[in-house]
Amino acid sequence: MPYHEFECSTCIPERKKHAVIKGPGEDLTSALPEGYLNTIPGSITERGCAYCGAKHVIGTPMKDVIHLSHGPVGCTYDTWQTKRYISDNDNFQLKYTYASDMKEKHIVFGAEKMLKQNIIEAFKAFPEIKRMTLYQTCASALIGDDINAVAQEVMDEMPEVDIFVCNSPGFRGPSQSGGHHTINIAWIKDKVGTIEPKITGDYVINYVGEYNIQGDEVIMQDYFKRMGIQVLSTFTGNGSYDDLRAMHGAHLNVLECARSAEYICNELRVRYGIPRLDIDGFGFEPLAQSLRKVGLFFGIEDRAQKIIEEETARWKPELDWYKERLMGKKVCLWPGGSKLWHWAHVIHEEMGLDVVSVYTKFGHQQDMEKGIARCEEGALAIDDPNELESVEAMLKLKPDIIFTGKRPGEVAKKIRVPYLNAHAYHNGPYKGYEGWVRFARDIYNAIYSPIHQLSFLDISKDEIPTNQGFATQQ
Ligand code: CFM
């Protein structure tokens, strides 16, 4: 039986089908954990909500916009520490956060009037910004505030502004992935096609599912520019609201994170006939293949090849230096969604790491299928894990490092497992040739940092334990 039962979860028998061990010769389809379902009551999930997926993942990276949540102020939490989608306009979208600040009285009497005042006040406070995204939250959706009507009233009174409304309250479920879907569809339905594109070149793409975490988009944009490609819009990292209204003018959608943004690509194909090309900016070989594919589409493979050769010659020796030192180190690869399959095989092939476990918080079964196919035999695959399960897994697997988010990362540190931030990165960008070397350097530093050796010290005793089965100093 491929399912893995956690000791800590025997009291929640439904959890059993959410974890599998990749056994030798096992039929992958029968071993696939369940996924993209509502979280089981009693299992304290670490997922985000549908509002978070819409706003904090996809909406907020848009740089020239006031992002206002209609709800309690706590819903706007998620700032520099957890989200690092930087921009070239001095990080306007990260520096400020806006909420209508609903209180109990608004739940009783409604908050539409207050919302209208808040929208006008926000535009007045930042007169140079003429665009806004407005997000429904659980609180305002439950009482039925009509935020579309409020937004329309403001636009009628202030013709110079444009407001995008996103109806993805947290309870819409089942996780942030539901929110990705909702905002993708809302954007194409309400905004794409409302501005005509400015075409300046022969090869025009939208770069989709790319959120410019610590500059990922900038590094990829540079390759496209060197190939003579015009990036009409980026959905949505460092992206501009009005550029994204003109997405219908591109010749090709180049899709990076298929988990969060395949929906808009599929719609752009149906509505405007623009093809979708999935690429991967992580790792030398996947990136080379991606640049070649884009080059092939436009008949400019030679330009792609030139970049691949230049960049590989510049960065490969550094990558190999790290590979030698990371060979055979055990990794738990525990991101939110698509990084599980973007990374699983390539960290093994290009950095020598062995993936002993994969998990995804909100990925669909197809994400898990790709992830399991690409990780090592014997690996433990978990869907929507909770904290107790991940601690149990770490104690059992004794990884040298885990790649995950801040919350599970802090727990890992307490049991002396080094953690690297797979979401916001430590010292990114991680995309591109240079980025991939930065990733290797961060992994190396995390594993070999003397701090982890020191953390094994029990100062109540007179001994210095050196190796307890986790990181070993070289
Ligand atoms: Fe796509 Fe993302 Fe990811 Fe994602 Fe995310 Fe993210 Fe992630 Mo955090 S869009 S699925 S909802 S690659 S925020 S930039 S790092 S969990 S693996």
Side-chain angles (χ1 to χ4, degrees):
M1 187 64 179
Y3 291 120
H4 174 78
E5 188 167 33
F6 286 98
E7 277 170 36
C8 61
S9 292
T10 47
C11 53
I12 318 172
E14 300 93 322
R15 277 296 300 157
K16 202 175 161 184
K17 288 193 172 169
H18 292 262
V20 300
I21 291 178
K22 182 182 177 181
E26 213 137 51
D27 177 7
L28 192 64
T29 47
S30 75
L32 209 52
E34 300 206 326
Y36 198 49
L37 299 171
N38 287 331
T39 292
I40 301 159
S43 167
I44 311 291
T45 182
E46 297 191 341
R47 285 167 157 180
C49 63
Y51 155 83
C52 168
K55 178 179 191 279
H56 293 305
V57 178
I58 297 188
T60 333
M62 271 193 266
K63 64 184 173 184
D64 45 6
V65 180
I66 293 168
H67 298 281
L68 196 154
S69 298
H70 184 35
V73 71
C75 291
T76 62
Y77 169 78
D78 234 336
T79 52
W80 178 250
Q81 208 186 27
T82 47
K83 299 287 170 190
R84 297 183 189 167
Y85 26 62
I86 54 179
S87 67
D88 58 11
N89 66 341
D90 203 20
N91 301 312
F92 178 80
Q93 78 289 2
L94 275 175
K95 273 199 301 198
Y96 303 100
T97 182
Y98 311 80
S100 56
D101 194 17
M102 282 177 81
K103 301 269 198 294
E104 285 87 342
K105 67 175 179 192
H106 301 117
I107 302 294
V108 177
F109 298 109
E112 289 175 359
K113 275 195 198 122
M114 174 183 69
L115 175 64
K116 186 175 172 189
Q117 284 164 7
N118 284 354
I119 294 173
I120 293 167
E121 188 185 327
F123 277 127
K124 283 195 176 146
F126 295 93
E128 71 285 8
I129 302 287
K130 302 286 183 216
R131 302 290 177 255
M132 176 179 284
T133 53
L134 191 54
Y135 301 89
Q136 191 72 283
T137 64
C138 294
S140 49
L142 277 172
I143 62 165
D145 272 2
D146 187 348
I147 65 172
N148 292 72
V150 175
Q152 195 54 52
E153 254 181 56
V154 175
M155 283 194 281
D156 291 344
E157 288 170 28
M158 301 173 74
E160 71 281 15
V161 307
D162 196 80
I163 302 174
F164 167 64
V165 175
C166 179
N167 274 304
S168 183
F171 59 73
R172 211 158 186 267
S175 65
Q176 55 263 65
S177 184
H180 301 157
H181 193 171
T182 305
I183 193 170
N184 270 240
I185 301 303
W187 185 263
I188 189 153
K189 194 169 120 304
D190 294 347
K191 293 301 167 197
V192 174
T194 56
I195 271 191
E196 275 317 301
K198 291 186 204 85
I199 305 297
T200 55
D202 295 332
Y203 317 115
V204 185
I205 65 168
N206 294 312
Y207 188 24
V208 183
E210 165 54 56
Y211 306 101
N212 200 32
I213 308 295
Q214 284 205 19
D216 275 350
E217 189 262 353
V218 177
I219 220 163
M220 295 294 289
Q221 171 99 243
D222 175 58
Y223 302 142
F224 296 135
K225 273 198 190 135
R226 281 155 66 186
M227 287 171 71
I229 291 169
Q230 180 192 352
V231 179
L232 186 62
S233 75
T234 303
F235 186 89
T236 55
N238 198 27
S240 153
Y241 185 101
D242 282 355
D243 289 347
L244 285 156
R245 292 165 76 186
M247 289 179 93
H248 59 291
H251 304 139
L252 178 68
N253 289 311
V254 172
L255 175 61
E256 185 78 55
C257 173
R259 177 64 289 123
S260 62
E262 64 173 354
Y263 318 103
I264 196 162
C265 284
N266 294 347
E267 282 300 312
L268 284 161
R269 184 171 54 200
V270 171
R271 296 178 191 214
Y272 300 100
I274 309 169
R276 154 186 166 176
L277 184 77
D278 291 33
I279 67 152
D280 187 345
F282 293 114
F284 281 35
E285 193 43 42
L287 174 56
Q289 281 177 17
S290 301
L291 295 177
R292 262 185 225 118
K293 277 201 289 188
V294 176
L296 258 168
F297 181 86
F298 291 117
I300 49 172
E301 305 93 293
D302 51 327
R303 298 186 194 175
Q305 196 53 36
K306 190 163 170 278
I307 295 170
I308 295 163
E309 280 161 22
E310 279 171 14
E311 296 285 327
T312 308
R314 165 70 184 84
W315 295 105
K316 188 76 177 14
E318 282 196 45
L319 183 67
D320 289 344
W321 190 92
Y322 290 111
K323 182 179 183 181
E324 234 174 79
R325 286 153 183 86
L326 296 177
M327 191 63 81
K329 296 291 181 200
K330 293 192 288 181
V331 180
C332 285
L333 174 51
W334 289 351
S338 70
K339 279 171 187 158
L340 122 104
W341 48 266
H342 274 292
W343 290 355
H345 58 315
V346 73
I347 56 176
H348 180 68
E349 283 153 20
E350 299 190 358
M351 296 182 193
L353 298 159
D354 291 336
V355 178
V356 294
S357 178
V358 283
Y359 86 31
T360 157
K361 291 186 186 187
F362 56 81
H364 300 200
Q365 279 194 308
Q366 73 213 53
D367 297 296
M368 199 47 120
E369 194 169 354
K370 285 192 264 186
I372 293 175
R374 291 173 171 186
C375 69
E376 274 55 74
E377 207 170 85
L380 172 61
I382 320 165
D383 166 68
D384 185 16
N386 61 45
E387 184 177 311
L388 294 176
E389 289 172 351
S390 42
V391 169
E392 189 178 315
M394 280 187 275
L395 293 173
K396 183 166 172 279
L397 299 166
K398 297 186 173 34
D400 294 296
I401 186 165
I402 70 166
F403 302 160
T404 192
K406 249 190 125 41
R407 282 161 293 168
E410 295 304 323
V411 175
K413 281 190 208 163
K414 288 183 187 161
I415 55 168
R416 314 291 192 264
V417 177
Y419 126 80
L420 202 63
N421 193 332
H423 300 248
Y425 308 156
H426 270 58
N427 300 287
Y430 287 170
K431 277 196 184 127
Y433 292 91
E434 177 188 346
W436 200 238
V437 172
R438 283 170 169 270
F439 187 22
R441 185 182 304 136
D442 277 350
I443 300 168
Y444 172 81
N445 285 339
I447 291 179
Y448 288 109
S449 165
I451 197 79
H452 299 298
Q453 300 303 311
L454 290 173
S455 69
F456 282 121
L457 259 175
D458 183 349
I459 53 169
S460 69
K461 295 190 187 124
D462 219 13
E463 57 187 51
I464 303 177
T466 50
N467 173 13
Q468 301 207 340
F470 296 127
T472 48
Q473 184 125 35
Q474 208 190 28

